[in-house]
Short mmCIF file of all heavy atoms in Angstrom, two decimals:
data_model
loop_
_atom_site.label_atom_id
_atom_site.label_comp_id
_atom_site.label_asym_id
_atom_site.label_seq_id
_atom_site.Cartn_x
_atom_site.Cartn_y
_atom_site.Cartn_z
N GLY B 328 6.09 -6.44 -31.41
CA GLY B 328 7.40 -6.71 -30.82
C GLY B 328 7.34 -7.21 -29.38
O GLY B 328 8.35 -7.64 -28.82
N ALA B 329 6.17 -7.16 -28.77
CA ALA B 329 6.07 -7.65 -27.39
C ALA B 329 5.96 -9.17 -27.40
O ALA B 329 5.14 -9.72 -28.14
CB ALA B 329 4.86 -7.04 -26.69
N PRO B 330 6.76 -9.86 -26.60
CA PRO B 330 6.60 -11.30 -26.53
C PRO B 330 5.22 -11.66 -25.99
O PRO B 330 4.70 -10.95 -25.12
CB PRO B 330 7.70 -11.74 -25.56
CG PRO B 330 8.31 -10.53 -25.00
CD PRO B 330 7.81 -9.33 -25.74
N VAL B 331 4.65 -12.72 -26.52
CA VAL B 331 3.34 -13.19 -26.05
C VAL B 331 3.58 -14.42 -25.18
O VAL B 331 4.23 -15.37 -25.61
CB VAL B 331 2.43 -13.55 -27.24
CG1 VAL B 331 1.09 -14.10 -26.74
CG2 VAL B 331 2.20 -12.31 -28.11
N VAL B 332 3.12 -14.37 -23.96
CA VAL B 332 3.35 -15.48 -23.04
C VAL B 332 2.00 -15.96 -22.51
O VAL B 332 1.21 -15.17 -21.99
CB VAL B 332 4.25 -15.05 -21.86
CG1 VAL B 332 4.41 -16.19 -20.86
CG2 VAL B 332 5.61 -14.59 -22.36
N GLU B 333 1.75 -17.26 -22.68
CA GLU B 333 0.49 -17.82 -22.18
C GLU B 333 0.66 -18.16 -20.71
O GLU B 333 1.56 -18.89 -20.33
CB GLU B 333 0.15 -19.11 -22.94
CG GLU B 333 0.04 -18.94 -24.45
CD GLU B 333 -1.29 -18.33 -24.89
OE1 GLU B 333 -2.19 -18.18 -24.02
OE2 GLU B 333 -1.41 -17.99 -26.08
N LEU B 334 -0.21 -17.62 -19.88
CA LEU B 334 -0.19 -18.00 -18.46
C LEU B 334 -1.58 -18.48 -18.08
O LEU B 334 -2.58 -17.89 -18.47
CB LEU B 334 0.20 -16.81 -17.58
CG LEU B 334 1.62 -16.25 -17.69
CD1 LEU B 334 1.81 -15.08 -16.74
CD2 LEU B 334 2.68 -17.32 -17.41
N ASP B 335 -1.57 -19.55 -17.30
CA ASP B 335 -2.83 -20.12 -16.85
C ASP B 335 -3.29 -19.39 -15.57
O ASP B 335 -2.56 -19.35 -14.58
CB ASP B 335 -2.60 -21.61 -16.59
CG ASP B 335 -3.82 -22.26 -15.98
OD1 ASP B 335 -4.93 -21.84 -16.34
OD2 ASP B 335 -3.66 -23.17 -15.14
N LEU B 336 -4.47 -18.79 -15.63
CA LEU B 336 -4.91 -17.96 -14.50
C LEU B 336 -5.07 -18.76 -13.20
O LEU B 336 -4.77 -18.26 -12.12
CB LEU B 336 -6.24 -17.26 -14.82
CG LEU B 336 -6.18 -16.17 -15.88
CD1 LEU B 336 -7.53 -15.47 -16.01
CD2 LEU B 336 -5.09 -15.15 -15.58
N ALA B 337 -5.50 -20.02 -13.33
CA ALA B 337 -5.67 -20.84 -12.12
C ALA B 337 -4.31 -21.08 -11.47
O ALA B 337 -4.16 -21.02 -10.24
CB ALA B 337 -6.34 -22.16 -12.47
N GLU B 338 -3.31 -21.32 -12.31
CA GLU B 338 -1.95 -21.54 -11.79
C GLU B 338 -1.40 -20.25 -11.16
O GLU B 338 -0.75 -20.27 -10.12
CB GLU B 338 -1.06 -22.01 -12.96
CG GLU B 338 0.33 -22.43 -12.58
CD GLU B 338 0.38 -23.49 -11.48
OE1 GLU B 338 -0.55 -24.34 -11.40
OE2 GLU B 338 1.33 -23.44 -10.70
N LEU B 339 -1.71 -19.14 -11.81
CA LEU B 339 -1.26 -17.85 -11.30
C LEU B 339 -1.86 -17.57 -9.91
O LEU B 339 -1.19 -17.05 -9.02
CB LEU B 339 -1.70 -16.76 -12.28
CG LEU B 339 -0.76 -15.60 -12.60
CD1 LEU B 339 0.64 -16.05 -12.92
CD2 LEU B 339 -1.32 -14.78 -13.76
N ARG B 340 -3.09 -17.93 -9.76
CA ARG B 340 -3.73 -17.74 -8.44
C ARG B 340 -3.10 -18.63 -7.40
O ARG B 340 -2.94 -18.25 -6.25
CB ARG B 340 -5.22 -18.14 -8.52
CG ARG B 340 -6.08 -17.16 -9.25
CD ARG B 340 -7.51 -17.56 -9.03
NE ARG B 340 -7.86 -17.31 -7.64
CZ ARG B 340 -8.99 -16.73 -7.27
NH1 ARG B 340 -9.85 -16.33 -8.17
NH2 ARG B 340 -9.24 -16.55 -5.98
N ARG B 341 -2.76 -19.85 -7.80
CA ARG B 341 -2.21 -20.80 -6.83
C ARG B 341 -0.83 -20.35 -6.38
O ARG B 341 -0.53 -20.30 -5.20
CB ARG B 341 -2.13 -22.19 -7.47
CG ARG B 341 -2.09 -23.32 -6.46
CD ARG B 341 -1.90 -24.66 -7.15
NE ARG B 341 -0.61 -24.78 -7.82
CZ ARG B 341 0.55 -24.96 -7.21
NH1 ARG B 341 0.59 -25.05 -5.89
NH2 ARG B 341 1.67 -25.04 -7.89
N ASP B 342 0.02 -20.01 -7.34
CA ASP B 342 1.36 -19.52 -7.00
C ASP B 342 1.93 -18.76 -8.19
O ASP B 342 2.41 -19.37 -9.15
CB ASP B 342 2.28 -20.68 -6.63
CG ASP B 342 3.67 -20.16 -6.25
OD1 ASP B 342 3.84 -18.93 -6.14
OD2 ASP B 342 4.58 -20.99 -6.07
N PRO B 343 1.89 -17.45 -8.17
CA PRO B 343 2.34 -16.68 -9.33
C PRO B 343 3.86 -16.55 -9.42
O PRO B 343 4.39 -16.16 -10.46
CB PRO B 343 1.71 -15.31 -9.09
CG PRO B 343 1.65 -15.16 -7.61
CD PRO B 343 1.41 -16.56 -7.07
N TYR B 344 4.58 -16.85 -8.33
CA TYR B 344 5.99 -16.46 -8.27
C TYR B 344 6.90 -17.16 -9.28
O TYR B 344 7.79 -16.52 -9.84
CB TYR B 344 6.50 -16.55 -6.83
CG TYR B 344 5.88 -15.47 -5.97
CD1 TYR B 344 4.96 -15.78 -4.98
CD2 TYR B 344 6.16 -14.12 -6.20
CE1 TYR B 344 4.36 -14.79 -4.21
CE2 TYR B 344 5.57 -13.13 -5.45
CZ TYR B 344 4.66 -13.45 -4.45
OH TYR B 344 4.07 -12.46 -3.71
N PRO B 345 6.71 -18.47 -9.55
CA PRO B 345 7.57 -19.08 -10.58
C PRO B 345 7.38 -18.42 -11.95
O PRO B 345 8.35 -18.18 -12.68
CB PRO B 345 7.12 -20.55 -10.59
CG PRO B 345 6.51 -20.77 -9.25
CD PRO B 345 5.89 -19.47 -8.86
N ALA B 346 6.13 -18.11 -12.29
CA ALA B 346 5.88 -17.47 -13.59
C ALA B 346 6.53 -16.08 -13.63
O ALA B 346 7.13 -15.69 -14.64
CB ALA B 346 4.37 -17.35 -13.83
N TYR B 347 6.46 -15.35 -12.53
CA TYR B 347 7.07 -14.02 -12.50
C TYR B 347 8.59 -14.12 -12.67
O TYR B 347 9.19 -13.30 -13.37
CB TYR B 347 6.76 -13.30 -11.18
CG TYR B 347 5.30 -12.94 -10.98
CD1 TYR B 347 4.82 -12.64 -9.70
CD2 TYR B 347 4.42 -12.88 -12.05
CE1 TYR B 347 3.50 -12.31 -9.50
CE2 TYR B 347 3.09 -12.55 -11.85
CZ TYR B 347 2.62 -12.26 -10.58
OH TYR B 347 1.32 -11.92 -10.38
#
Side-chain angles (χ1 to χ4, degrees):
Chain B
V331 177
V332 176
E333 302 281 352
L334 293 180
D335 174 34
L336 291 186
E338 186 54 32
L339 219 48
R340 287 190 69 135
R341 202 184 66 74
D342 181 8
Y344 291 111
Y347 293 162

